[in-house]
Amino acid sequence: MATTCGGVAVIDFWANGFGMRIRIALEEKGVAYQYKEEDLNNPQRSRLVLEMNPVRKSVPILVHEGRPVCDSVAILEYIDEIWKDGFPLLLPKDPYERATARFWTHFIDNKFFPTQATFLKSKGEAKQEAEEELISELKQLEDVLGDKPYFGGEKFGFFDVAFIPFSSMFYGYESHGEFKLEEECPKISAWVKRCMERPSVSKILPDSVKMYELHKIWYGVE
């Protein structure tokens, strides 16, 4: 049987925005972990992934004391619950604010991320429509941010962790489209810069040019 080290391990691929969330969260908590790279360019999943996530055969996977936790949102909540006492909390204490953070994370995963894929893959009129939709969704998120330093308010929180990995594709949006994010969404742009000042974020987020070059291959961008 394939094994991970004792304690905490993260199985992921360097360019997986969903997995970046997990590493950022662990960095914020100050939890030591081992990182195991899974090459998603190889269609054959490793033995470790097949053992730890036999249902979906996907990453990210958090392995804690030998037990796997799958799905990035479930992992984030698990991390926040396990490392709670004496650690910074990601989810707000207020029930409404917790529900709001979960709602917008769901929006990223099920609306924004598919729009990104459509934008990168489409051509002609469909591409223009997808670009307009992408900008519209970014503006919605900017409205949620408002004048707060972070989506979590004064504190870097759950939704900040969930969304910031996708900023590594903002360069790709601008290169592929015909807009400047700082002009369309100045508050989002300022938020990204603010987040990048955090060691947990700057350490994990990959080079944006490298990210776009990979996604061009994945989505067949010419």
Side-chain angles (χ1 to χ4, degrees):
M1 176 179 290
T3 60
T4 63
C5 66
V8 182
V10 177
I11 309 168
D12 195 24
F13 178 62
W14 69 268
N16 180 15
F18 298 100
M20 293 175 208
R21 295 169 167 175
I22 311 312
R23 287 175 280 152
I24 290 172
L26 291 172
E27 296 285 344
E28 283 288 321
K29 297 275 188 177
V31 175
Y33 63 95
Q34 181 180 7
Y35 176 70
K36 291 180 173 288
E37 177 79 1
E38 178 75 10
D39 185 6
L40 295 189
N41 289 309
N42 184 346
Q44 299 298 318
R45 297 282 77 88
S46 70
R47 185 180 176 186
L48 182 60
V49 168
L50 295 177
E51 289 180 357
M52 293 294 171
N53 190 1
V55 176
R56 297 184 64 184
K57 304 177 179 65
S58 62
V59 294
I61 305 169
L62 176 77
V63 185
H64 181 214
E65 297 180 348
R67 299 188 300 178
V69 185
C70 305
D71 182 83
S72 69
V73 176
I75 297 171
L76 285 182
E77 297 209 23
Y78 179 85
I79 289 171
D80 215 28
E81 291 175 5
I82 292 296
W83 292 281
K84 178 171 58 177
D85 296 334
F87 294 89
L89 293 177
L90 300 177
L91 276 168
K93 292 183 178 180
D94 179 79
Y96 179 78
E97 292 180 1
R98 284 203 304 271
T100 300
R102 290 177 174 126
F103 172 85
W104 287 108
T105 300
H106 188 273
F107 174 86
I108 290 294
D109 293 358
N110 296 280
K111 188 71 171 72
F112 183 78
F113 180 69
T115 299
Q116 169 188 286
T118 301
F119 170 59
L120 293 174
K121 291 189 294 185
S122 59
K123 298 179 181 179
E125 185 176 336
K127 173 186 171 183
Q128 181 61 39
E129 292 176 356
E131 179 177 312
E132 291 173 359
E133 179 63 24
L134 188 72
I135 294 172
S136 174
E137 291 174 8
L138 285 167
K139 287 181 179 294
Q140 281 183 282
L141 292 166
E142 184 164 73
D143 288 341
V144 176
L145 176 64
D147 295 321
K148 303 186 298 294
Y150 300 107
F151 283 93
E154 295 298 320
K155 294 174 58 179
F156 182 78
F158 189 89
F159 183 66
D160 299 290
V161 174
F163 183 33
I164 192 59
F166 295 92
S167 70
S168 60
M169 275 300 295
F170 287 177
Y171 166 83
Y173 298 166
E174 294 180 332
S175 299
H176 188 62
E178 299 178 355
F179 67 96
K180 293 294 182 184
L181 187 65
E182 194 161 10
E183 296 175 2
E184 296 287 350
C185 301
K187 292 180 180 179
I188 290 287
S189 295
W191 168 77
V192 172
K193 294 175 183 177
R194 198 173 299 119
C195 290
M196 287 298 292
E197 293 175 356
R198 305 184 71 83
S200 63
V201 177
S202 60
K203 177 181 177 179
I204 300 303
L205 261 59
D207 179 77
S208 58
V209 176
K210 188 178 178 182
M211 274 286 285
Y212 182 46
E213 291 302 317
L214 177 65
H215 281 72
K216 284 168 67 176
I217 296 171
W218 279 358
Y219 292 119
V221 176
E222 297 178 356

